[in-house]
Amino acid sequence: MTFAWKAAGLSYNRYLAVAARVVRRSLKEDKRLIAERRGEMELRFAKWDNGKMGEPKSLAEANAAAAVEAASSGSA
């Protein structure tokens, strides 16, 4: 027997993210705001070169920039 999330083509982590978002949206306004803040995360990364750490960058901003770059290079 296959799990529904697996049959839908989702990874387990993606399934959990969707389920958590649904639960947060179903809460009353005051509790929902607190839960949504808890659900946000700020991931940062830095490229290392010759043993030295480069400038830390936001993962969300880097992904957005890469998506824009991919879209512009794909249409050219």
Side-chain angles (χ1 to χ4, degrees):
M1 180 175 145
T2 305
F3 294 108
W5 57 267
K6 202 175 224 181
L10 296 173
S11 69
Y12 187 66
N13 282 340
R14 183 70 183 140
Y15 163 74
L16 287 178
V18 169
R21 187 174 55 224
V22 168
V23 169
R24 281 193 292 273
R25 287 183 178 172
S26 69
L27 296 172
K28 291 184 179 178
E29 187 69 22
D30 57 338
K31 304 262 188 220
R32 183 182 58 81
L33 292 174
I34 295 168
E36 283 181 353
R37 274 189 240 121
R38 242 191 346 251
E40 295 174 4
M41 64 179 99
E42 178 67 27
L43 297 177
R44 299 182 76 67
F45 72 98
K47 186 174 181 179
W48 287 75
D49 191 29
N50 294 327
K52 297 190 188 249
M53 184 174 89
E55 181 181 340
K57 298 178 185 176
S58 169
L59 187 61
E61 291 172 7
N63 280 339
V68 167
E69 184 179 321
S72 65
S73 67
S75 63

